[in-house]
Short mmCIF file of all heavy atoms in Angstrom, two decimals:
data_model
loop_
_atom_site.label_atom_id
_atom_site.label_comp_id
_atom_site.label_asym_id
_atom_site.label_seq_id
_atom_site.Cartn_x
_atom_site.Cartn_y
_atom_site.Cartn_z
N ALA A 7 0.83 -1.20 0.00
CA ALA A 7 0.00 0.00 0.00
C ALA A 7 0.87 1.26 0.00
O ALA A 7 0.59 2.21 -0.72
CB ALA A 7 -0.92 0.00 1.22
N LEU A 8 1.92 1.25 0.79
CA LEU A 8 2.84 2.39 0.82
C LEU A 8 3.53 2.58 -0.52
O LEU A 8 3.59 3.70 -1.04
CB LEU A 8 3.88 2.20 1.92
CG LEU A 8 4.92 3.30 2.05
CD1 LEU A 8 4.25 4.63 2.40
CD2 LEU A 8 5.96 2.94 3.09
N LEU A 9 3.99 1.50 -1.11
CA LEU A 9 4.66 1.58 -2.42
C LEU A 9 3.71 2.09 -3.50
O LEU A 9 4.08 2.96 -4.30
CB LEU A 9 5.22 0.21 -2.81
CG LEU A 9 5.92 0.14 -4.16
CD1 LEU A 9 7.14 1.05 -4.18
CD2 LEU A 9 6.30 -1.28 -4.49
N SER A 10 2.49 1.60 -3.52
CA SER A 10 1.54 2.07 -4.53
C SER A 10 1.21 3.54 -4.32
O SER A 10 1.07 4.30 -5.28
CB SER A 10 0.28 1.21 -4.54
OG SER A 10 -0.42 1.35 -3.33
N GLY A 11 1.09 3.98 -3.07
CA GLY A 11 0.85 5.39 -2.79
C GLY A 11 2.00 6.27 -3.27
O GLY A 11 1.78 7.34 -3.85
N VAL A 12 3.21 5.83 -3.02
CA VAL A 12 4.39 6.59 -3.47
C VAL A 12 4.42 6.67 -4.99
O VAL A 12 4.67 7.75 -5.56
CB VAL A 12 5.69 5.96 -2.91
CG1 VAL A 12 6.92 6.56 -3.57
CG2 VAL A 12 5.76 6.15 -1.40
N LEU A 13 4.16 5.56 -5.65
CA LEU A 13 4.17 5.56 -7.12
C LEU A 13 3.09 6.48 -7.69
O LEU A 13 3.35 7.23 -8.65
CB LEU A 13 3.99 4.14 -7.65
CG LEU A 13 5.18 3.21 -7.44
CD1 LEU A 13 4.83 1.79 -7.88
CD2 LEU A 13 6.40 3.72 -8.17
N ILE A 14 1.91 6.46 -7.11
CA ILE A 14 0.84 7.34 -7.58
C ILE A 14 1.21 8.80 -7.35
O ILE A 14 1.01 9.65 -8.21
CB ILE A 14 -0.49 6.98 -6.90
CG1 ILE A 14 -0.98 5.64 -7.44
CG2 ILE A 14 -1.54 8.06 -7.11
CD1 ILE A 14 -2.16 5.06 -6.70
N GLY A 15 1.80 9.08 -6.20
CA GLY A 15 2.25 10.44 -5.92
C GLY A 15 3.29 10.92 -6.92
O GLY A 15 3.24 12.06 -7.39
N LEU A 16 4.22 10.05 -7.27
CA LEU A 16 5.24 10.40 -8.26
C LEU A 16 4.63 10.68 -9.63
O LEU A 16 4.98 11.66 -10.30
CB LEU A 16 6.28 9.27 -8.38
CG LEU A 16 7.24 9.09 -7.21
CD1 LEU A 16 8.04 7.81 -7.40
CD2 LEU A 16 8.15 10.28 -7.08
N VAL A 17 3.71 9.82 -10.05
CA VAL A 17 3.07 10.00 -11.35
C VAL A 17 2.30 11.32 -11.39
O VAL A 17 2.40 12.08 -12.36
CB VAL A 17 2.14 8.81 -11.68
CG1 VAL A 17 1.26 9.11 -12.88
CG2 VAL A 17 2.96 7.55 -11.92
N PHE A 18 1.55 11.62 -10.33
CA PHE A 18 0.78 12.86 -10.31
C PHE A 18 1.70 14.08 -10.36
O PHE A 18 1.39 15.06 -11.03
CB PHE A 18 -0.13 12.91 -9.08
CG PHE A 18 -1.49 12.32 -9.32
CD1 PHE A 18 -1.65 10.96 -9.54
CD2 PHE A 18 -2.61 13.12 -9.35
CE1 PHE A 18 -2.90 10.41 -9.77
CE2 PHE A 18 -3.88 12.59 -9.58
CZ PHE A 18 -4.01 11.24 -9.81
N LYS A 19 2.83 14.04 -9.65
CA LYS A 19 3.77 15.16 -9.69
C LYS A 19 4.40 15.30 -11.07
O LYS A 19 4.61 16.40 -11.56
CB LYS A 19 4.87 14.99 -8.64
CG LYS A 19 4.53 15.55 -7.30
CD LYS A 19 4.27 17.03 -7.39
CE LYS A 19 4.28 17.65 -6.02
NZ LYS A 19 3.89 19.03 -6.02
N MET A 20 4.71 14.16 -11.70
CA MET A 20 5.35 14.20 -13.01
C MET A 20 4.44 14.82 -14.07
O MET A 20 4.93 15.52 -14.97
CB MET A 20 5.80 12.80 -13.44
CG MET A 20 6.99 12.30 -12.65
SD MET A 20 7.40 10.57 -12.96
CE MET A 20 7.61 10.54 -14.73
N VAL A 21 3.13 14.58 -13.98
CA VAL A 21 2.21 15.16 -14.96
C VAL A 21 1.58 16.48 -14.44
O VAL A 21 0.64 16.98 -15.03
CB VAL A 21 1.11 14.16 -15.38
CG1 VAL A 21 1.71 12.99 -16.12
CG2 VAL A 21 0.30 13.70 -14.21
N ARG A 22 2.15 16.97 -13.35
CA ARG A 22 1.78 18.28 -12.77
C ARG A 22 0.31 18.40 -12.40
O ARG A 22 -0.36 19.39 -12.69
CB ARG A 22 2.19 19.41 -13.70
CG ARG A 22 3.69 19.43 -13.89
CD ARG A 22 4.09 20.44 -14.93
NE ARG A 22 5.47 20.20 -15.31
CZ ARG A 22 6.44 21.08 -15.16
NH1 ARG A 22 6.18 22.25 -14.68
NH2 ARG A 22 7.66 20.77 -15.51
N LEU A 23 -0.19 17.35 -11.77
CA LEU A 23 -1.56 17.36 -11.25
C LEU A 23 -1.50 17.46 -9.72
O LEU A 23 -0.52 17.02 -9.12
CB LEU A 23 -2.29 16.07 -11.64
CG LEU A 23 -2.63 15.90 -13.10
CD1 LEU A 23 -3.17 14.49 -13.35
CD2 LEU A 23 -3.64 16.94 -13.54
N PRO A 24 -2.52 18.00 -9.11
CA PRO A 24 -2.52 18.01 -7.64
C PRO A 24 -2.67 16.57 -7.12
O PRO A 24 -3.35 15.75 -7.74
CB PRO A 24 -3.75 18.85 -7.28
CG PRO A 24 -4.59 18.86 -8.50
CD PRO A 24 -3.69 18.66 -9.67
N ILE A 25 -2.03 16.29 -6.01
CA ILE A 25 -2.09 14.94 -5.48
C ILE A 25 -3.53 14.59 -5.07
O ILE A 25 -4.25 15.46 -4.58
CB ILE A 25 -1.12 14.71 -4.31
CG1 ILE A 25 -1.41 15.67 -3.16
CG2 ILE A 25 0.31 14.83 -4.77
CD1 ILE A 25 -0.64 15.34 -1.90
N PRO A 26 -3.94 13.36 -5.28
CA PRO A 26 -5.32 12.96 -4.97
C PRO A 26 -5.52 12.61 -3.50
O PRO A 26 -5.92 11.51 -3.14
CB PRO A 26 -5.52 11.74 -5.86
CG PRO A 26 -4.17 11.13 -5.92
CD PRO A 26 -3.21 12.28 -5.93
N ALA A 27 -5.21 13.56 -2.62
CA ALA A 27 -5.34 13.32 -1.19
C ALA A 27 -5.63 14.64 -0.49
O ALA A 27 -5.18 15.70 -0.93
CB ALA A 27 -4.06 12.71 -0.64
N PRO A 28 -6.38 14.58 0.60
CA PRO A 28 -6.61 15.79 1.39
C PRO A 28 -5.34 16.17 2.15
O PRO A 28 -4.36 15.41 2.14
CB PRO A 28 -7.73 15.38 2.34
CG PRO A 28 -7.61 13.91 2.45
CD PRO A 28 -7.08 13.43 1.13
N PRO A 29 -5.35 17.32 2.83
CA PRO A 29 -4.19 17.68 3.65
C PRO A 29 -3.84 16.54 4.62
O PRO A 29 -4.70 15.75 5.01
CB PRO A 29 -4.66 18.91 4.42
CG PRO A 29 -5.73 19.49 3.57
CD PRO A 29 -6.38 18.33 2.87
N VAL A 30 -2.59 16.47 5.01
CA VAL A 30 -2.05 15.32 5.73
C VAL A 30 -2.87 14.94 6.96
O VAL A 30 -3.36 13.82 7.05
CB VAL A 30 -0.58 15.57 6.12
CG1 VAL A 30 -0.04 14.43 6.95
CG2 VAL A 30 0.26 15.77 4.88
N LEU A 31 -3.04 15.82 7.91
CA LEU A 31 -3.73 15.46 9.14
C LEU A 31 -5.20 15.14 8.88
O LEU A 31 -5.73 14.15 9.40
CB LEU A 31 -3.61 16.57 10.19
CG LEU A 31 -4.25 16.27 11.54
CD1 LEU A 31 -3.64 15.01 12.15
CD2 LEU A 31 -4.11 17.44 12.48
N ALA A 32 -5.84 15.94 8.06
CA ALA A 32 -7.25 15.68 7.74
C ALA A 32 -7.40 14.33 7.03
O ALA A 32 -8.36 13.60 7.27
CB ALA A 32 -7.81 16.79 6.88
N GLY A 33 -6.48 13.99 6.17
CA GLY A 33 -6.53 12.72 5.47
C GLY A 33 -6.37 11.53 6.40
O GLY A 33 -7.11 10.56 6.32
N VAL A 34 -5.43 11.63 7.32
CA VAL A 34 -5.20 10.55 8.28
C VAL A 34 -6.42 10.38 9.18
O VAL A 34 -6.87 9.27 9.42
CB VAL A 34 -3.93 10.82 9.11
CG1 VAL A 34 -3.81 9.84 10.27
CG2 VAL A 34 -2.69 10.77 8.23
N VAL A 35 -6.96 11.49 9.66
CA VAL A 35 -8.14 11.42 10.53
C VAL A 35 -9.33 10.87 9.77
O VAL A 35 -10.10 10.05 10.29
CB VAL A 35 -8.45 12.81 11.14
CG1 VAL A 35 -9.78 12.81 11.87
CG2 VAL A 35 -7.34 13.24 12.08
N GLY A 36 -9.50 11.27 8.52
CA GLY A 36 -10.60 10.76 7.70
C GLY A 36 -10.49 9.27 7.46
O GLY A 36 -11.48 8.54 7.57
N ILE A 37 -9.32 8.81 7.13
CA ILE A 37 -9.11 7.37 6.91
C ILE A 37 -9.36 6.60 8.20
O ILE A 37 -9.99 5.54 8.19
CB ILE A 37 -7.69 7.10 6.35
CG1 ILE A 37 -7.60 7.65 4.93
CG2 ILE A 37 -7.35 5.62 6.40
CD1 ILE A 37 -6.20 7.67 4.38
N PHE A 38 -8.87 7.13 9.32
CA PHE A 38 -9.11 6.48 10.61
C PHE A 38 -10.61 6.43 10.91
O PHE A 38 -11.11 5.42 11.42
CB PHE A 38 -8.37 7.21 11.73
CG PHE A 38 -8.59 6.59 13.08
CD1 PHE A 38 -8.05 5.37 13.40
CD2 PHE A 38 -9.37 7.24 14.02
CE1 PHE A 38 -8.27 4.78 14.64
CE2 PHE A 38 -9.60 6.68 15.27
CZ PHE A 38 -9.04 5.44 15.57
N GLY A 39 -11.33 7.49 10.58
CA GLY A 39 -12.77 7.52 10.80
C GLY A 39 -13.49 6.47 9.98
O GLY A 39 -14.41 5.81 10.48
N VAL A 40 -13.09 6.29 8.74
CA VAL A 40 -13.69 5.25 7.89
C VAL A 40 -13.43 3.87 8.49
O VAL A 40 -14.33 3.04 8.61
CB VAL A 40 -13.14 5.33 6.44
CG1 VAL A 40 -13.56 4.11 5.64
CG2 VAL A 40 -13.60 6.60 5.78
N TRP A 41 -12.20 3.64 8.90
CA TRP A 41 -11.86 2.35 9.51
C TRP A 41 -12.63 2.14 10.81
O TRP A 41 -13.18 1.06 11.04
CB TRP A 41 -10.35 2.28 9.78
CG TRP A 41 -9.98 1.04 10.53
CD1 TRP A 41 -9.75 -0.20 10.00
CD2 TRP A 41 -9.84 0.90 11.95
NE1 TRP A 41 -9.46 -1.09 11.00
CE2 TRP A 41 -9.51 -0.44 12.21
CE3 TRP A 41 -9.95 1.78 13.01
CZ2 TRP A 41 -9.29 -0.91 13.50
CZ3 TRP A 41 -9.73 1.31 14.30
CH2 TRP A 41 -9.41 -0.03 14.53
N LEU A 42 -12.69 3.17 11.65
CA LEU A 42 -13.37 3.06 12.93
C LEU A 42 -14.87 2.80 12.74
O LEU A 42 -15.46 1.97 13.44
CB LEU A 42 -13.16 4.34 13.75
CG LEU A 42 -13.67 4.32 15.18
CD1 LEU A 42 -12.95 3.24 15.98
CD2 LEU A 42 -13.44 5.67 15.82
N GLY A 43 -15.49 3.46 11.78
CA GLY A 43 -16.90 3.22 11.51
C GLY A 43 -17.17 1.79 11.05
O GLY A 43 -18.10 1.14 11.52
N ALA A 44 -16.34 1.30 10.13
CA ALA A 44 -16.52 -0.06 9.63
C ALA A 44 -16.26 -1.09 10.73
O ALA A 44 -17.01 -2.04 10.89
CB ALA A 44 -15.59 -0.32 8.45
N TYR A 45 -15.21 -0.88 11.51
CA TYR A 45 -14.88 -1.79 12.61
C TYR A 45 -15.97 -1.74 13.68
O TYR A 45 -16.39 -2.77 14.20
CB TYR A 45 -13.52 -1.44 13.20
CG TYR A 45 -13.11 -2.38 14.32
CD1 TYR A 45 -12.57 -3.62 14.03
CD2 TYR A 45 -13.26 -2.01 15.65
CE1 TYR A 45 -12.20 -4.49 15.04
CE2 TYR A 45 -12.90 -2.87 16.67
CZ TYR A 45 -12.36 -4.10 16.36
OH TYR A 45 -12.00 -4.95 17.37
N GLY A 46 -16.42 -0.54 14.01
CA GLY A 46 -17.45 -0.38 15.02
C GLY A 46 -18.75 -1.06 14.63
O GLY A 46 -19.40 -1.71 15.45
N LEU A 47 -19.16 -0.93 13.37
CA LEU A 47 -20.38 -1.57 12.92
C LEU A 47 -20.25 -3.09 12.94
O LEU A 47 -21.16 -3.80 13.37
CB LEU A 47 -20.76 -1.09 11.52
CG LEU A 47 -22.07 -1.64 10.97
CD1 LEU A 47 -23.23 -1.22 11.87
CD2 LEU A 47 -22.29 -1.19 9.56
N THR A 48 -19.11 -3.59 12.52
CA THR A 48 -18.86 -5.04 12.56
C THR A 48 -18.92 -5.54 14.00
O THR A 48 -19.55 -6.56 14.29
CB THR A 48 -17.49 -5.38 11.94
OG1 THR A 48 -17.47 -4.91 10.60
CG2 THR A 48 -17.22 -6.87 11.97
N PHE A 49 -18.29 -4.82 14.91
CA PHE A 49 -18.29 -5.19 16.33
C PHE A 49 -19.72 -5.18 16.88
O PHE A 49 -20.13 -6.12 17.57
CB PHE A 49 -17.40 -4.21 17.12
CG PHE A 49 -17.34 -4.51 18.59
CD1 PHE A 49 -16.55 -5.53 19.06
CD2 PHE A 49 -18.09 -3.76 19.47
CE1 PHE A 49 -16.49 -5.80 20.42
CE2 PHE A 49 -18.04 -4.03 20.83
CZ PHE A 49 -17.25 -5.05 21.31
N LEU A 50 -20.46 -4.13 16.56
CA LEU A 50 -21.83 -4.01 17.04
C LEU A 50 -22.73 -5.12 16.49
O LEU A 50 -23.52 -5.72 17.23
CB LEU A 50 -22.40 -2.63 16.67
CG LEU A 50 -23.78 -2.30 17.18
CD1 LEU A 50 -23.81 -2.27 18.69
CD2 LEU A 50 -24.23 -0.97 16.61
N MET A 51 -22.60 -5.41 15.22
CA MET A 51 -23.41 -6.47 14.62
C MET A 51 -23.08 -7.83 15.22
O MET A 51 -23.97 -8.65 15.44
CB MET A 51 -23.20 -6.51 13.10
CG MET A 51 -23.71 -5.25 12.39
SD MET A 51 -25.44 -4.92 12.66
CE MET A 51 -26.15 -6.22 11.67
N ASP A 52 -21.80 -8.07 15.50
CA ASP A 52 -21.42 -9.33 16.15
C ASP A 52 -22.04 -9.45 17.54
O ASP A 52 -22.51 -10.50 17.95
CB ASP A 52 -19.90 -9.46 16.26
CG ASP A 52 -19.25 -9.80 14.94
OD1 ASP A 52 -19.96 -10.19 14.00
OD2 ASP A 52 -18.01 -9.66 14.85
N LYS A 53 -22.05 -8.36 18.28
CA LYS A 53 -22.61 -8.37 19.64
C LYS A 53 -24.12 -8.56 19.62
O LYS A 53 -24.68 -9.22 20.48
CB LYS A 53 -22.26 -7.08 20.39
CG LYS A 53 -20.81 -6.96 20.74
CD LYS A 53 -20.44 -8.03 21.75
CE LYS A 53 -18.99 -7.90 22.14
NZ LYS A 53 -18.54 -9.01 22.96
N LEU A 54 -24.79 -7.96 18.63
CA LEU A 54 -26.24 -8.05 18.57
C LEU A 54 -26.73 -9.41 18.07
O LEU A 54 -27.82 -9.83 18.41
CB LEU A 54 -26.80 -6.95 17.69
CG LEU A 54 -26.68 -5.52 18.25
CD1 LEU A 54 -27.16 -4.52 17.21
CD2 LEU A 54 -27.45 -5.38 19.55
#
């Protein structure tokens, strides 16, 4: 995943496009939120 992200970042910079990601902290928090929501729903459904 890290390697593919780096390669995509390189390609976008080479063709002078903005990177396809939000600002660093907002992106990390957003991804964590998606993971937390999916994990939380799975946990809740298992308990119910």
Side-chain angles (χ1 to χ4, degrees):
L8 179 62
L9 179 62
S10 65
V12 169
L13 289 174
I14 290 170
L16 289 171
V17 169
F18 270 68
K19 272 300 194 187
M20 288 172 56
V21 295
R22 298 174 194 240
L23 291 172
I25 59 170
V30 176
L31 183 58
V34 170
V35 171
I37 291 169
F38 179 71
V40 169
W41 174 83
L42 187 61
Y45 182 80
L47 183 61
T48 302
F49 180 78
L50 184 63
M51 294 302 288
D52 285 346
K53 290 294 181 188
L54 291 175

